[in-house]
């Protein structure tokens, strides 16, 4: 298992389809359907909730419950204001980066289908070279090729329409995956692969496994907050992305040092239960899975926090995938890291015993 390649042709096809599908915060359901369709052969049943979180369950009758979790949503924009001359101003839906917007194509999601647009920007010739104004939330705008507000509305575009980038999946130099929304559909992919491997290797777990793809992480961990109350798990292992801090303009003194290609990143934070984290580290060392360490301050900023502080306290830990260029349309991860996160979650699950509390007092 430790040396075997994990990602096969079928799982690569799923990853590409899953990444290319738009699933902005609050509109995740089509992506969830793709994910559930792939996961279906490997789980016993599904749980879904009214906001779109999906959970594949293995051993649903077991009393002791373990969650492995990623989040399904991607950052996006909302149409906020339509000018009389047919231009659109936007607000964020999640942590969308205003600086990368100018000259990007966009997809505006309407009841009539996708409407194409572009983030316009004044030509270099027309700008004040002595005092150039940077892209800001109040000066970036979308042009859909209309000259009046009425023309825009005739396309089906209105205030509240959600906007995504159309950028799709590419492989860079054979083993780097590049796409928008790797944060964090890579997480959904990795936990689905864990379920697949458990099924293919005929592993009989002594507990219920809840393969959880939460919604609305990008606006405050909200999907995890909801579904953890439904599941009421005993343990949670969360996977998300973290920064590759080795590219230019990142200060390692404040951001720490984590690098794409050097393995999964294991977090230290108040929300991370120490004994569960040590179990993950012991597993990595025993199975010779490379890993890195990262320290957070008050919170991890991931769904780990939502699980940890729910239901009277749930032992939770975070395994992150190092990623370059977060919240851009060219988010980049290393294939080896993806496979090693899958390995680490899989191997850790095999060490968890029915009824284990991870208590400091046992």
């Amino acid at each position: 298992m430790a040396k075997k390649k994990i990602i096969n042709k079928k799982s690569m096809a799923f990853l590409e389809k899953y990444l290319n599908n738009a699933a902005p915060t609050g509109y995740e359901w089509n992506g969830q359907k793709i994910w559930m369709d792939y996961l279906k052969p490997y789980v016993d049943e599904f749980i879904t909730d009214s906001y779109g979180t999906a959970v594949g369950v293995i051993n649903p009758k077991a009393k002791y419950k373990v969650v492995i979790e990623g989040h399904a949503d991607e950052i996006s924009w909302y149409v906020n204001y339509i000018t009389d001359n047919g231009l659109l101003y936007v607000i964020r839906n999640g942590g969308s980066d205003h600086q990368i917007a100018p000259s990007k194509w966009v997809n505006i999601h309407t009841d009539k289908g996708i409407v194409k647009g572009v983030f316009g920007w004044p030509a270099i010739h027309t700008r004040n070279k002595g005092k150039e104004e940077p892209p800001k939330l109040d000066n970036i705008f979308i042009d859909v090729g209309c000259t009046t507000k009425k023309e825009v509305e005739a396309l089906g575009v209105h205030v509240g329409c959600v906007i995504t980038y159309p950028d799709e999946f590419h492989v860079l130099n054979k083993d780097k995956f590049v796409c928008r929304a790797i944060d964090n559909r890579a997480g959904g992919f990795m936990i689905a692969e864990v379920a697949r491997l458990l099924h293919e290797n005929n592993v009989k777990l002594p507990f219920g496994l809840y393969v959880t793809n939460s919604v609305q992480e990008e606006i405050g961990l909200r999907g995890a907050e909801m579904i953890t109350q439904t599941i009421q798990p005993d343990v949670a292992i969360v996977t998300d992305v973290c920064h590759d801090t080795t590219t230019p303009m990142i200060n390692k003194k404040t951001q720490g040092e984590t690098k794409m290609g050097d393995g999964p990143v294991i977090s230290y934070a108040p929300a991370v239960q120490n004994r569960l984290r040590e179990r993950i580290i012991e597993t990595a060392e025993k199975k010779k899975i490379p890993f890195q360490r990262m320290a957070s301050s008050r919170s991890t900023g991931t769904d780990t926090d939502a699980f940890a502080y729910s239901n009277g306290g749930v032992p939770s830990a975070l395994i992150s995938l190092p990623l370059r260029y977060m919240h851009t349309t060219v988010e980049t991860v290393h294939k080896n890291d993806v496979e090693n996160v899958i390995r680490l979650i899989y191997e850790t699950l095999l060490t968890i015993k029915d009824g284990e509390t991870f208590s400091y007092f046992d």
Side-chain angles (χ1 to χ4, degrees):
M1 168 68 189
K3 295 180 181 178
K4 181 182 173 184
K5 288 294 181 186
I6 289 169
I7 298 173
N8 59 31
K9 286 184 179 179
K10 183 180 176 183
S11 53
M12 270 297 287
F14 162 60
L15 175 61
E16 184 167 354
K17 180 179 181 182
Y18 186 47
L19 282 169
N20 287 347
N21 173 78
T25 301
Y27 298 82
E28 298 95 342
W29 57 85
N30 285 329
Q32 295 289 57
K33 290 174 183 177
I34 293 169
W35 183 80
M36 292 167 73
D37 185 59
Y38 179 77
L39 193 62
K40 189 174 182 179
Y42 314 127
V43 299
D44 297 319
E45 66 181 38
F46 284 100
I47 298 169
T48 56
D49 70 14
S50 56
Y51 277 85
T53 290
V55 184
V57 187
I58 299 170
N59 301 337
K61 293 182 180 177
K63 185 179 177 183
Y64 188 77
K65 301 174 184 178
V66 177
V67 160
I68 56 174
E69 193 259 10
H71 73 81
D73 58 324
E74 66 181 288
I75 57 168
S76 57
W77 302 97
Y78 280 122
V79 176
N80 186 49
Y81 170 60
I82 305 171
T83 70
D84 291 337
N85 61 344
L87 299 174
L88 315 180
Y89 284 83
V90 298
I91 57 171
R92 293 186 178 96
N93 185 20
S96 300
D97 188 344
H98 53 278
Q99 291 201 14
I100 70 158
S103 84
K104 292 296 298 179
W105 281 94
V106 296
N107 287 337
I108 305 169
H109 299 260
T110 80
D111 292 339
K112 296 181 178 181
I114 297 292
V115 172
K116 290 286 184 181
V118 294
F119 272 110
W121 193 244
I124 188 170
H125 321 67
T126 67
R127 303 200 298 262
N128 182 341
K129 294 173 182 60
K131 191 180 178 183
E132 287 203 306
E133 194 170 354
K136 296 182 294 186
L137 199 58
D138 63 0
N139 68 11
I140 59 173
F141 62 91
I142 292 172
D143 189 333
V144 291
C146 296
T147 55
T148 66
K149 183 176 181 179
K150 188 176 181 181
E151 197 179 351
V152 172
E153 291 172 339
L155 293 175
V157 176
H158 55 74
V159 169
C161 283
V162 72
I163 303 159
T164 58
Y165 293 116
D167 301 68
E168 295 195 336
F169 177 79
H170 293 279
V171 177
L172 188 66
N173 193 23
K174 300 179 183 176
D175 57 8
K176 316 301 186 304
F177 299 156
V178 180
C179 197
R180 45 153 259 288
I182 287 177
D183 175 14
N184 180 35
R185 289 218 265 293
F189 170 75
M190 293 186 296
I191 60 175
E193 291 297 272
V194 171
R196 175 177 69 83
L197 291 171
L198 290 168
H199 177 83
E200 290 179 356
N201 295 334
N202 295 309
V203 174
K204 305 299 179 189
L205 295 171
F207 49 76
L209 182 65
Y210 290 70
V211 186
T212 304
N213 210 10
S214 299
V215 297
Q216 299 195 22
E217 188 272 350
E218 295 290 356
I219 50 87
L221 324 180
R222 297 308 190 189
E225 186 179 302
M226 291 183 273
I227 200 65
T228 189
Q229 307 299 339
T230 301
I231 298 170
Q232 297 186 338
D234 296 284
V235 178
I237 298 173
V238 174
T239 185
D240 206 325
V241 295
C242 66
H243 302 291
D244 175 330
T245 62
T246 65
T247 55
M249 300 167 65
I250 298 176
N251 186 346
K252 293 178 187 175
K253 291 177 183 176
T254 57
Q255 298 297 320
E257 183 170 14
T258 44
K259 183 180 180 182
M260 182 179 74
D262 280 8
V265 178
I266 298 172
S267 279
Y268 290 70
V272 174
Q273 212 270 356
N274 294 299
R275 290 187 67 177
L276 178 58
R277 185 194 59 244
E278 291 309 304
R279 175 71 59 82
I280 293 168
I281 290 172
E282 289 165 11
T283 302
E285 291 173 340
K286 183 178 180 181
K287 296 297 178 178
K288 296 181 170 55
I289 300 169
F291 69 93
Q292 306 172 75
R293 290 180 168 93
M294 179 175 72
S296 298
S297 185
R298 292 175 61 88
S299 68
T300 70
T302 72
D303 284 337
T304 312
D305 305 333
F307 280 94
Y309 301 132
S310 72
N311 299 290
V314 175
S316 300
L318 174 61
I319 302 173
S320 297
L321 177 67
L323 172 144
R324 290 183 170 183
Y325 321 123
M326 194 181 297
H327 287 200
T328 73
T329 56
V330 291
E331 295 182 334
T332 304
V333 294
H334 199 300
K335 179 182 179 182
N336 291 350
D337 292 337
V338 174
E339 292 199 324
N340 280 320
V341 170
I342 295 165
R343 274 195 191 95
L344 187 51
I345 296 172
Y346 175 95
E347 296 290 354
T348 301
L349 288 177
L350 300 187
T351 74
I352 297 176
K353 298 176 179 64
D354 181 21
E356 230 177 322
T357 66
F358 294 93
S359 171
Y360 302 129
F361 305 103
D362 287 350

